[in-house]
Amino acid sequence: MERILIIEDDTDIAAIERDYLEIHNFKVEIATNGNTGLEKALQGCYDLILLDLMLPGIDGFTICRKLRETLDIPILMVTARWEDIDKIRGLGLGADDYIEKPFSPSVLVARVKANLAQYARLKKTDKTEPIQITIGSIRISTDTRRVYVNDIEIELKNKEYELLLFMALNADVVFSRETLYERIWGMEAIGDNATVAVHINRLRDKIEEDPGNPQYIQTVRGAGYRLMA
């Protein structure tokens, strides 16, 4: 049974999340403040964390940053305050996905299942025959999940790595934002285009010599993105 930690200070919302997840056979624990949530997350053995943004004690951004220092499990940020700058910051700190309040409990369950399934597929892929992918100055080692640009290792968050690997394996193919979201996050994209755009921009910042005039990850107007080989 997969274990989920909910870090949420609104006890009513936390209870709704717990009840719906338990109906779908997840084992759920709740922490109602940032300090307790961070402690539980680091000491427990969870498969996914639902993390509220605005918390007493330690805010969700700080918790996400600290968790990403040691954990690679999916982190879904759940918040009512989600402007573009918050998306960029939260996803940039290592959150895998986000869901906005108010939300349908069925959507929450679907997003949780999708992220868990995608994480499981990634772990299974890691055990397959390792390959080296080289595109220009970019080199990806799938066995170690390391990425190098001009032989200098760069640090990528989970979804940044998955997105780059997928596009590298399908170089020169144009993918819409919706398709990329479905392939990387594991479910149909409904109102989640910002997630893909944020990750694309962060990848450009890390692999491109001039992110404003990208050599590798190019925008195809009206169609999506492609990684040029």
Side-chain angles (χ1 to χ4, degrees), residues 80-181:
R81 174 193 167 194
W82 203 258
E83 299 175 356
D84 285 345
I85 188 64
D86 295 320
K87 295 175 185 176
I88 294 170
R89 186 180 177 192
L91 295 171
L93 289 171
D96 295 283
D97 202 357
Y98 70 92
I99 184 168
E100 298 181 27
K101 301 174 185 176
F103 53 82
S104 163
S106 60
V107 170
L108 173 68
V109 172
R111 296 281 273 275
V112 166
K113 287 183 175 180
N115 276 273
L116 285 169
Q118 181 65 12
Y119 181 72
R121 284 193 293 270
L122 178 66
K123 287 300 183 184
K124 183 178 180 180
T125 301
D126 286 347
K127 297 177 182 179
T128 61
E129 187 69 23
I131 59 173
Q132 293 272 341
I133 303 171
T134 301
I135 297 178
S137 62
I138 302 169
R139 178 164 53 90
I140 305 171
S141 297
T142 62
D143 55 340
T144 59
R145 289 175 57 86
R146 290 181 173 177
V147 177
Y148 303 84
V149 177
N150 293 318
D151 293 324
I152 299 174
E153 185 176 356
I154 61 171
E155 181 183 352
L156 297 182
K157 307 298 184 184
N158 281 345
K159 285 296 187 288
E160 293 170 358
Y161 172 82
E162 293 174 44
L163 182 58
L164 178 62
L165 178 60
F166 175 75
M167 296 184 76
L169 289 170
N170 298 276
D172 295 324
V173 178
V174 178
F175 294 100
S176 68
R177 290 183 180 183
E178 291 79 9
T179 298
L180 288 173
Y181 187 89

Side-chain angles (χ1 to χ4, degrees), residues 58-77:
I58 305 176
D59 65 77
F61 290 129
T62 302
I63 292 174
C64 185
R65 177 176 56 80
K66 289 182 177 293
L67 293 181
R68 275 293 172 248
E69 293 174 358
T70 56
L71 300 178
D72 69 346
I73 61 173
I75 298 175
L76 273 64
M77 282 193 158

Side-chain angles (χ1 to χ4, degrees), residues 33-79:
N33 66 72
N35 292 296
T36 302
L38 178 60
E39 183 178 355
K40 277 181 170 287
L42 292 175
Q43 294 181 356
C45 184
Y46 301 99
D47 298 289
L48 181 144
I49 295 173
L50 287 172
L51 176 61
D52 189 40
L53 178 60
M54 303 301 292
L55 293 164
I58 305 176
D59 65 77
F61 290 129
T62 302
I63 292 174
C64 185
R65 177 176 56 80
K66 289 182 177 293
L67 293 181
R68 275 293 172 248
E69 293 174 358
T70 56
L71 300 178
D72 69 346
I73 61 173
I75 298 175
L76 273 64
M77 282 193 158
V78 183
T79 180

